[in-house]
PDB file of all heavy atoms in Angstrom:
ATOM      1  N   VAL V   1     120.973 110.622  87.722  1.00  0.00           N
ATOM      2  CA  VAL V   1     120.032 110.483  86.608  1.00  0.00           C
ATOM      3  C   VAL V   1     120.094 109.039  86.126  1.00  0.00           C
ATOM      4  O   VAL V   1     121.134 108.388  86.229  1.00  0.00           O
ATOM      5  CB  VAL V   1     120.353 111.437  85.428  1.00  0.00           C
ATOM      6  CG1 VAL V   1     120.211 112.888  85.847  1.00  0.00           C
ATOM      7  CG2 VAL V   1     121.736 111.172  84.868  1.00  0.00           C
ATOM      8  N   PRO V   2     118.981 108.503  85.602  1.00  0.00           N
ATOM      9  CA  PRO V   2     119.028 107.139  85.081  1.00  0.00           C
ATOM     10  C   PRO V   2     119.699 107.045  83.719  1.00  0.00           C
ATOM     11  O   PRO V   2     120.297 106.024  83.369  1.00  0.00           O
ATOM     12  CB  PRO V   2     117.557 106.751  84.989  1.00  0.00           C
ATOM     13  CG  PRO V   2     116.827 108.045  84.830  1.00  0.00           C
ATOM     14  CD  PRO V   2     117.620 109.069  85.590  1.00  0.00           C
ATOM     15  N   GLY V   3     119.580 108.136  82.945  1.00  0.00           N
ATOM     16  CA  GLY V   3     120.151 108.155  81.607  1.00  0.00           C
ATOM     17  C   GLY V   3     119.942 109.505  80.963  1.00  0.00           C
ATOM     18  O   GLY V   3     119.170 110.325  81.454  1.00  0.00           O
ATOM     19  N   ALA V   4     120.629 109.732  79.861  1.00  0.00           N
ATOM     20  CA  ALA V   4     120.525 111.020  79.170  1.00  0.00           C
ATOM     21  C   ALA V   4     121.067 110.886  77.758  1.00  0.00           C
ATOM     22  O   ALA V   4     121.847 109.981  77.453  1.00  0.00           O
ATOM     23  CB  ALA V   4     121.301 112.100  79.920  1.00  0.00           C
ATOM     24  N   VAL V   5     120.633 111.812  76.909  1.00  0.00           N
ATOM     25  CA  VAL V   5     121.232 112.007  75.583  1.00  0.00           C
ATOM     26  C   VAL V   5     121.661 113.467  75.502  1.00  0.00           C
ATOM     27  O   VAL V   5     120.871 114.367  75.810  1.00  0.00           O
ATOM     28  CB  VAL V   5     120.259 111.674  74.440  1.00  0.00           C
ATOM     29  CG1 VAL V   5     120.842 112.092  73.088  1.00  0.00           C
ATOM     30  CG2 VAL V   5     119.940 110.183  74.439  1.00  0.00           C
ATOM     31  N   ALA V   6     122.908 113.701  75.121  1.00  0.00           N
ATOM     32  CA  ALA V   6     123.437 115.058  74.999  1.00  0.00           C
ATOM     33  C   ALA V   6     123.870 115.305  73.567  1.00  0.00           C
ATOM     34  O   ALA V   6     124.416 114.413  72.904  1.00  0.00           O
ATOM     35  CB  ALA V   6     124.628 115.262  75.935  1.00  0.00           C
ATOM     36  N   LEU V   7     123.627 116.528  73.099  1.00  0.00           N
ATOM     37  CA  LEU V   7     124.021 116.923  71.746  1.00  0.00           C
ATOM     38  C   LEU V   7     124.564 118.342  71.774  1.00  0.00           C
ATOM     39  O   LEU V   7     123.981 119.225  72.406  1.00  0.00           O
ATOM     40  CB  LEU V   7     122.835 116.823  70.792  1.00  0.00           C
ATOM     41  CG  LEU V   7     123.083 117.134  69.315  1.00  0.00           C
ATOM     42  CD1 LEU V   7     122.143 116.318  68.417  1.00  0.00           C
ATOM     43  CD2 LEU V   7     122.921 118.622  68.993  1.00  0.00           C
ATOM     44  N   VAL V   8     125.687 118.532  71.065  1.00  0.00           N
ATOM     45  CA  VAL V   8     126.268 119.854  70.886  1.00  0.00           C
ATOM     46  C   VAL V   8     126.534 120.049  69.395  1.00  0.00           C
ATOM     47  O   VAL V   8     127.070 119.151  68.730  1.00  0.00           O
ATOM     48  CB  VAL V   8     127.589 120.023  71.664  1.00  0.00           C
ATOM     49  CG1 VAL V   8     128.168 121.425  71.450  1.00  0.00           C
ATOM     50  CG2 VAL V   8     127.383 119.751  73.155  1.00  0.00           C
ATOM     51  N   ALA V   9     126.129 121.194  68.869  1.00  0.00           N
ATOM     52  CA  ALA V   9     126.384 121.511  67.462  1.00  0.00           C
ATOM     53  C   ALA V   9     126.918 122.934  67.357  1.00  0.00           C
ATOM     54  O   ALA V   9     126.569 123.801  68.171  1.00  0.00           O
ATOM     55  CB  ALA V   9     125.111 121.362  66.632  1.00  0.00           C
ATOM     56  N   ARG V  10     127.760 123.139  66.363  1.00  0.00           N
ATOM     57  CA  ARG V  10     128.232 124.494  66.062  1.00  0.00           C
ATOM     58  C   ARG V  10     128.356 124.654  64.558  1.00  0.00           C
ATOM     59  O   ARG V  10     128.819 123.742  63.861  1.00  0.00           O
ATOM     60  CB  ARG V  10     129.581 124.775  66.726  1.00  0.00           C
ATOM     61  CG  ARG V  10     129.938 126.273  66.692  1.00  0.00           C
ATOM     62  CD  ARG V  10     131.269 126.583  67.323  1.00  0.00           C
ATOM     63  NE  ARG V  10     131.332 128.002  67.685  1.00  0.00           N
ATOM     64  CZ  ARG V  10     132.457 128.644  67.990  1.00  0.00           C
ATOM     65  NH1 ARG V  10     133.625 127.999  67.986  1.00  0.00           N
ATOM     66  NH2 ARG V  10     132.425 129.926  68.301  1.00  0.00           N
ATOM     67  N   ASN V  11     127.944 125.815  64.067  1.00  0.00           N
ATOM     68  CA  ASN V  11     128.024 126.123  62.641  1.00  0.00           C
ATOM     69  C   ASN V  11     127.365 125.045  61.775  1.00  0.00           C
ATOM     70  O   ASN V  11     127.842 124.707  60.693  1.00  0.00           O
ATOM     71  CB  ASN V  11     129.478 126.316  62.206  1.00  0.00           C
ATOM     72  CG  ASN V  11     130.151 127.480  62.913  1.00  0.00           C
ATOM     73  OD1 ASN V  11     129.486 128.365  63.442  1.00  0.00           O
ATOM     74  ND2 ASN V  11     131.471 127.472  62.937  1.00  0.00           N
ATOM     75  N   GLY V  12     126.270 124.504  62.292  1.00  0.00           N
ATOM     76  CA  GLY V  12     125.534 123.497  61.535  1.00  0.00           C
ATOM     77  C   GLY V  12     126.154 122.118  61.544  1.00  0.00           C
ATOM     78  O   GLY V  12     125.723 121.246  60.775  1.00  0.00           O
ATOM     79  N   LYS V  13     127.119 121.883  62.435  1.00  0.00           N
ATOM     80  CA  LYS V  13     127.791 120.592  62.518  1.00  0.00           C
ATOM     81  C   LYS V  13     127.627 120.008  63.916  1.00  0.00           C
ATOM     82  O   LYS V  13     127.932 120.673  64.916  1.00  0.00           O
ATOM     83  CB  LYS V  13     129.287 120.741  62.203  1.00  0.00           C
ATOM     84  CG  LYS V  13     129.586 121.328  60.836  1.00  0.00           C
ATOM     85  CD  LYS V  13     129.117 120.415  59.702  1.00  0.00           C
ATOM     86  CE  LYS V  13     129.477 120.985  58.348  1.00  0.00           C
ATOM     87  NZ  LYS V  13     128.976 120.121  57.228  1.00  0.00           N
ATOM     88  N   ILE V  14     127.170 118.785  63.978  1.00  0.00           N
ATOM     89  CA  ILE V  14     127.058 118.085  65.256  1.00  0.00           C
ATOM     90  C   ILE V  14     128.439 117.567  65.633  1.00  0.00           C
ATOM     91  O   ILE V  14     129.039 116.778  64.905  1.00  0.00           O
ATOM     92  CB  ILE V  14     126.055 116.925  65.171  1.00  0.00           C
ATOM     93  CG1 ILE V  14     124.651 117.461  64.861  1.00  0.00           C
ATOM     94  CG2 ILE V  14     126.048 116.119  66.464  1.00  0.00           C
ATOM     95  CD1 ILE V  14     123.643 116.363  64.554  1.00  0.00           C
ATOM     96  N   VAL V  15     128.931 118.008  66.773  1.00  0.00           N
ATOM     97  CA  VAL V  15     130.292 117.631  67.187  1.00  0.00           C
ATOM     98  C   VAL V  15     130.290 116.751  68.438  1.00  0.00           C
ATOM     99  O   VAL V  15     131.332 116.209  68.820  1.00  0.00           O
ATOM    100  CB  VAL V  15     131.149 118.887  67.441  1.00  0.00           C
ATOM    101  CG1 VAL V  15     131.303 119.688  66.159  1.00  0.00           C
ATOM    102  CG2 VAL V  15     130.557 119.755  68.548  1.00  0.00           C
ATOM    103  N   PHE V  16     129.136 116.619  69.068  1.00  0.00           N
ATOM    104  CA  PHE V  16     129.023 115.778  70.271  1.00  0.00           C
ATOM    105  C   PHE V  16     127.592 115.280  70.319  1.00  0.00           C
ATOM    106  O   PHE V  16     126.646 116.067  70.362  1.00  0.00           O
ATOM    107  CB  PHE V  16     129.342 116.614  71.515  1.00  0.00           C
ATOM    108  CG  PHE V  16     129.442 115.814  72.797  1.00  0.00           C
ATOM    109  CD1 PHE V  16     130.662 115.390  73.285  1.00  0.00           C
ATOM    110  CD2 PHE V  16     128.295 115.493  73.518  1.00  0.00           C
ATOM    111  CE1 PHE V  16     130.749 114.658  74.463  1.00  0.00           C
ATOM    112  CE2 PHE V  16     128.364 114.760  74.691  1.00  0.00           C
ATOM    113  CZ  PHE V  16     129.601 114.342  75.174  1.00  0.00           C
ATOM    114  N   HIS V  17     127.421 113.973  70.330  1.00  0.00           N
ATOM    115  CA  HIS V  17     126.074 113.384  70.369  1.00  0.00           C
ATOM    116  C   HIS V  17     126.206 111.992  70.962  1.00  0.00           C
ATOM    117  O   HIS V  17     126.623 111.051  70.285  1.00  0.00           O
ATOM    118  CB  HIS V  17     125.484 113.327  68.957  1.00  0.00           C
ATOM    119  CG  HIS V  17     124.030 112.934  68.939  1.00  0.00           C
ATOM    120  ND1 HIS V  17     123.382 112.537  67.781  1.00  0.00           N
ATOM    121  CD2 HIS V  17     123.085 112.871  69.921  1.00  0.00           C
ATOM    122  CE1 HIS V  17     122.123 112.274  68.049  1.00  0.00           C
ATOM    123  NE2 HIS V  17     121.922 112.459  69.347  1.00  0.00           N
ATOM    124  N   LYS V  18     125.889 111.866  72.247  1.00  0.00           N
ATOM    125  CA  LYS V  18     126.105 110.608  72.953  1.00  0.00           C
ATOM    126  C   LYS V  18     124.930 110.271  73.866  1.00  0.00           C
ATOM    127  O   LYS V  18     124.211 111.152  74.327  1.00  0.00           O
ATOM    128  CB  LYS V  18     127.387 110.676  73.780  1.00  0.00           C
ATOM    129  CG  LYS V  18     128.657 110.799  72.950  1.00  0.00           C
ATOM    130  CD  LYS V  18     129.899 110.694  73.809  1.00  0.00           C
ATOM    131  CE  LYS V  18     131.168 110.773  72.970  1.00  0.00           C
ATOM    132  NZ  LYS V  18     132.392 110.602  73.790  1.00  0.00           N
ATOM    133  N   ALA V  19     124.783 108.979  74.103  1.00  0.00           N
ATOM    134  CA  ALA V  19     123.753 108.473  75.006  1.00  0.00           C
ATOM    135  C   ALA V  19     124.415 107.858  76.232  1.00  0.00           C
ATOM    136  O   ALA V  19     125.509 107.287  76.150  1.00  0.00           O
ATOM    137  CB  ALA V  19     122.904 107.431  74.290  1.00  0.00           C
ATOM    138  N   TYR V  20     123.716 107.980  77.364  1.00  0.00           N
ATOM    139  CA  TYR V  20     124.257 107.511  78.640  1.00  0.00           C
ATOM    140  C   TYR V  20     123.187 106.761  79.418  1.00  0.00           C
ATOM    141  O   TYR V  20     122.015 107.133  79.395  1.00  0.00           O
ATOM    142  CB  TYR V  20     124.735 108.704  79.486  1.00  0.00           C
ATOM    143  CG  TYR V  20     125.799 109.526  78.826  1.00  0.00           C
ATOM    144  CD1 TYR V  20     125.437 110.545  77.947  1.00  0.00           C
ATOM    145  CD2 TYR V  20     127.149 109.277  79.033  1.00  0.00           C
ATOM    146  CE1 TYR V  20     126.408 111.306  77.314  1.00  0.00           C
ATOM    147  CE2 TYR V  20     128.128 110.029  78.409  1.00  0.00           C
ATOM    148  CZ  TYR V  20     127.758 111.038  77.552  1.00  0.00           C
ATOM    149  OH  TYR V  20     128.718 111.780  76.913  1.00  0.00           O
ATOM    150  N   GLY V  21     123.608 105.725  80.134  1.00  0.00           N
ATOM    151  CA  GLY V  21     122.718 105.067  81.073  1.00  0.00           C
ATOM    152  C   GLY V  21     121.580 104.308  80.430  1.00  0.00           C
ATOM    153  O   GLY V  21     121.689 103.761  79.335  1.00  0.00           O
ATOM    154  N   MET V  22     120.444 104.328  81.128  1.00  0.00           N
ATOM    155  CA  MET V  22     119.308 103.509  80.752  1.00  0.00           C
ATOM    156  C   MET V  22     118.113 104.337  80.280  1.00  0.00           C
ATOM    157  O   MET V  22     117.799 105.377  80.855  1.00  0.00           O
ATOM    158  CB  MET V  22     118.862 102.654  81.945  1.00  0.00           C
ATOM    159  CG  MET V  22     119.882 101.617  82.382  1.00  0.00           C
ATOM    160  SD  MET V  22     120.010 100.270  81.170  1.00  0.00           S
ATOM    161  CE  MET V  22     121.290  99.276  81.962  1.00  0.00           C
ATOM    162  N   ALA V  23     117.457 103.829  79.259  1.00  0.00           N
ATOM    163  CA  ALA V  23     116.175 104.392  78.837  1.00  0.00           C
ATOM    164  C   ALA V  23     115.047 103.858  79.709  1.00  0.00           C
ATOM    165  O   ALA V  23     114.014 104.501  79.875  1.00  0.00           O
ATOM    166  CB  ALA V  23     115.899 104.054  77.375  1.00  0.00           C
ATOM    167  N   ASP V  24     115.257 102.663  80.271  1.00  0.00           N
ATOM    168  CA  ASP V  24     114.291 102.062  81.192  1.00  0.00           C
ATOM    169  C   ASP V  24     115.055 101.080  82.079  1.00  0.00           C
ATOM    170  O   ASP V  24     115.500 100.023  81.607  1.00  0.00           O
ATOM    171  CB  ASP V  24     113.189 101.346  80.419  1.00  0.00           C
ATOM    172  CG  ASP V  24     112.136 100.748  81.347  1.00  0.00           C
ATOM    173  OD1 ASP V  24     111.238 101.490  81.772  1.00  0.00           O
ATOM    174  OD2 ASP V  24     112.250  99.535  81.662  1.00  0.00           O
ATOM    175  N   ASN V  25     115.215 101.432  83.346  1.00  0.00           N
ATOM    176  CA  ASN V  25     116.021 100.610  84.241  1.00  0.00           C
ATOM    177  C   ASN V  25     115.366  99.277  84.569  1.00  0.00           C
ATOM    178  O   ASN V  25     116.059  98.253  84.721  1.00  0.00           O
ATOM    179  CB  ASN V  25     116.315 101.382  85.533  1.00  0.00           C
ATOM    180  CG  ASN V  25     117.342 102.464  85.332  1.00  0.00           C
ATOM    181  OD1 ASN V  25     117.186 103.318  84.470  1.00  0.00           O
ATOM    182  ND2 ASN V  25     118.407 102.446  86.124  1.00  0.00           N
ATOM    183  N   GLU V  26     114.043  99.267  84.704  1.00  0.00           N
ATOM    184  CA  GLU V  26     113.370  98.036  85.100  1.00  0.00           C
ATOM    185  C   GLU V  26     113.531  96.931  84.063  1.00  0.00           C
ATOM    186  O   GLU V  26     113.654  95.748  84.413  1.00  0.00           O
ATOM    187  CB  GLU V  26     111.891  98.312  85.369  1.00  0.00           C
ATOM    188  CG  GLU V  26     111.655  99.165  86.613  1.00  0.00           C
ATOM    189  CD  GLU V  26     110.175  99.376  86.911  1.00  0.00           C
ATOM    190  OE1 GLU V  26     109.330  98.646  86.337  1.00  0.00           O
ATOM    191  OE2 GLU V  26     109.861 100.258  87.715  1.00  0.00           O
ATOM    192  N   SER V  27     113.535  97.292  82.787  1.00  0.00           N
ATOM    193  CA  SER V  27     113.703  96.288  81.731  1.00  0.00           C
ATOM    194  C   SER V  27     115.153  96.149  81.282  1.00  0.00           C
ATOM    195  O   SER V  27     115.473  95.243  80.512  1.00  0.00           O
ATOM    196  CB  SER V  27     112.837  96.647  80.525  1.00  0.00           C
ATOM    197  OG  SER V  27     113.298  97.842  79.916  1.00  0.00           O
ATOM    198  N   GLY V  28     116.017  97.041  81.760  1.00  0.00           N
ATOM    199  CA  GLY V  28     117.426  96.999  81.368  1.00  0.00           C
ATOM    200  C   GLY V  28     117.695  97.530  79.981  1.00  0.00           C
ATOM    201  O   GLY V  28     118.735  97.231  79.386  1.00  0.00           O
ATOM    202  N   ARG V  29     116.774  98.346  79.438  1.00  0.00           N
ATOM    203  CA  ARG V  29     116.986  98.887  78.086  1.00  0.00           C
ATOM    204  C   ARG V  29     117.940 100.064  78.142  1.00  0.00           C
ATOM    205  O   ARG V  29     117.684 101.066  78.802  1.00  0.00           O
ATOM    206  CB  ARG V  29     115.664  99.314  77.443  1.00  0.00           C
ATOM    207  CG  ARG V  29     115.849  99.753  75.987  1.00  0.00           C
ATOM    208  CD  ARG V  29     114.533  99.922  75.274  1.00  0.00           C
ATOM    209  NE  ARG V  29     113.906 101.200  75.479  1.00  0.00           N
ATOM    210  CZ  ARG V  29     114.258 102.313  74.823  1.00  0.00           C
ATOM    211  NH1 ARG V  29     115.266 102.305  73.942  1.00  0.00           N
ATOM    212  NH2 ARG V  29     113.618 103.452  75.045  1.00  0.00           N
ATOM    213  N   GLU V  30     119.046  99.958  77.417  1.00  0.00           N
ATOM    214  CA  GLU V  30     120.053 101.018  77.391  1.00  0.00           C
ATOM    215  C   GLU V  30     119.603 102.188  76.524  1.00  0.00           C
ATOM    216  O   GLU V  30     118.872 102.019  75.549  1.00  0.00           O
ATOM    217  CB  GLU V  30     121.384 100.476  76.873  1.00  0.00           C
ATOM    218  CG  GLU V  30     122.026  99.445  77.788  1.00  0.00           C
ATOM    219  CD  GLU V  30     123.394  99.007  77.291  1.00  0.00           C
ATOM    220  OE1 GLU V  30     123.817  99.475  76.200  1.00  0.00           O
ATOM    221  OE2 GLU V  30     124.033  98.198  77.981  1.00  0.00           O
ATOM    222  N   MET V  31     120.037 103.377  76.915  1.00  0.00           N
ATOM    223  CA  MET V  31     119.721 104.580  76.150  1.00  0.00           C
ATOM    224  C   MET V  31     120.460 104.576  74.817  1.00  0.00           C
ATOM    225  O   MET V  31     121.624 104.160  74.732  1.00  0.00           O
ATOM    226  CB  MET V  31     120.119 105.825  76.951  1.00  0.00           C
ATOM    227  CG  MET V  31     119.619 107.121  76.376  1.00  0.00           C
ATOM    228  SD  MET V  31     117.867 107.398  76.738  1.00  0.00           S
ATOM    229  CE  MET V  31     117.972 107.964  78.456  1.00  0.00           C
ATOM    230  N   LYS V  32     119.786 105.078  73.776  1.00  0.00           N
ATOM    231  CA  LYS V  32     120.397 105.236  72.458  1.00  0.00           C
ATOM    232  C   LYS V  32     120.240 106.679  71.989  1.00  0.00           C
ATOM    233  O   LYS V  32     119.331 107.383  72.418  1.00  0.00           O
ATOM    234  CB  LYS V  32     119.746 104.281  71.455  1.00  0.00           C
ATOM    235  CG  LYS V  32     119.971 102.812  71.787  1.00  0.00           C
ATOM    236  CD  LYS V  32     119.312 101.894  70.756  1.00  0.00           C
ATOM    237  CE  LYS V  32     119.533 100.429  71.094  1.00  0.00           C
ATOM    238  NZ  LYS V  32     118.872  99.529  70.107  1.00  0.00           N
ATOM    239  N   LYS V  33     121.116 107.096  71.101  1.00  0.00           N
ATOM    240  CA  LYS V  33     121.126 108.496  70.644  1.00  0.00           C
ATOM    241  C   LYS V  33     119.823 108.907  69.989  1.00  0.00           C
ATOM    242  O   LYS V  33     119.448 110.079  70.050  1.00  0.00           O
ATOM    243  CB  LYS V  33     122.280 108.733  69.659  1.00  0.00           C
ATOM    244  CG  LYS V  33     123.665 108.670  70.279  1.00  0.00           C
ATOM    245  CD  LYS V  33     124.719 109.202  69.325  1.00  0.00           C
ATOM    246  CE  LYS V  33     124.787 108.457  68.028  1.00  0.00           C
ATOM    247  NZ  LYS V  33     125.875 108.956  67.137  1.00  0.00           N
ATOM    248  N   ASP V  34     119.144 107.977  69.334  1.00  0.00           N
ATOM    249  CA  ASP V  34     117.917 108.337  68.610  1.00  0.00           C
ATOM    250  C   ASP V  34     116.659 108.035  69.416  1.00  0.00           C
ATOM    251  O   ASP V  34     115.559 108.013  68.859  1.00  0.00           O
ATOM    252  CB  ASP V  34     117.865 107.645  67.251  1.00  0.00           C
ATOM    253  CG  ASP V  34     117.699 106.128  67.352  1.00  0.00           C
ATOM    254  OD1 ASP V  34     117.901 105.571  68.457  1.00  0.00           O
ATOM    255  OD2 ASP V  34     117.362 105.490  66.327  1.00  0.00           O
ATOM    256  N   ASP V  35     116.806 107.830  70.711  1.00  0.00           N
ATOM    257  CA  ASP V  35     115.629 107.596  71.535  1.00  0.00           C
ATOM    258  C   ASP V  35     114.759 108.852  71.600  1.00  0.00           C
ATOM    259  O   ASP V  35     115.229 109.972  71.420  1.00  0.00           O
ATOM    260  CB  ASP V  35     116.030 107.148  72.940  1.00  0.00           C
ATOM    261  CG  ASP V  35     116.270 105.649  73.017  1.00  0.00           C
ATOM    262  OD1 ASP V  35     115.803 104.916  72.123  1.00  0.00           O
ATOM    263  OD2 ASP V  35     116.918 105.190  73.981  1.00  0.00           O
ATOM    264  N   ILE V  36     113.481 108.632  71.891  1.00  0.00           N
ATOM    265  CA  ILE V  36     112.468 109.685  71.838  1.00  0.00           C
ATOM    266  C   ILE V  36     112.048 110.081  73.248  1.00  0.00           C
ATOM    267  O   ILE V  36     111.794 109.228  74.099  1.00  0.00           O
ATOM    268  CB  ILE V  36     111.254 109.225  71.008  1.00  0.00           C
ATOM    269  CG1 ILE V  36     111.689 108.977  69.555  1.00  0.00           C
ATOM    270  CG2 ILE V  36     110.127 110.246  71.068  1.00  0.00           C
ATOM    271  CD1 ILE V  36     110.618 108.335  68.684  1.00  0.00           C
TER     272      ILE V  36
END
């Protein structure tokens, strides 16, 4: 995969929320947690 955002929550609490890789490889833009 070029990139991903993963989120895990339990009991209304976010306990895992991370971004990986690239949002756009050609421009070199890194993935961020709040990407759309």
Side-chain angles (χ1 to χ4, degrees):
V1 296
V5 171
L7 183 149
V8 180
R10 193 181 200 195
N11 298 340
K13 302 295 183 182
I14 297 172
V15 297
F16 188 97
H17 189 194
K18 294 187 178 183
Y20 301 86
M22 294 289 179
D24 182 82
N25 286 55
E26 291 183 15
S27 67
R29 186 169 84 80
E30 294 184 357
M31 191 78 78
K32 296 180 180 179
K33 291 192 301 183
D34 68 345
D35 275 342
I36 297 172

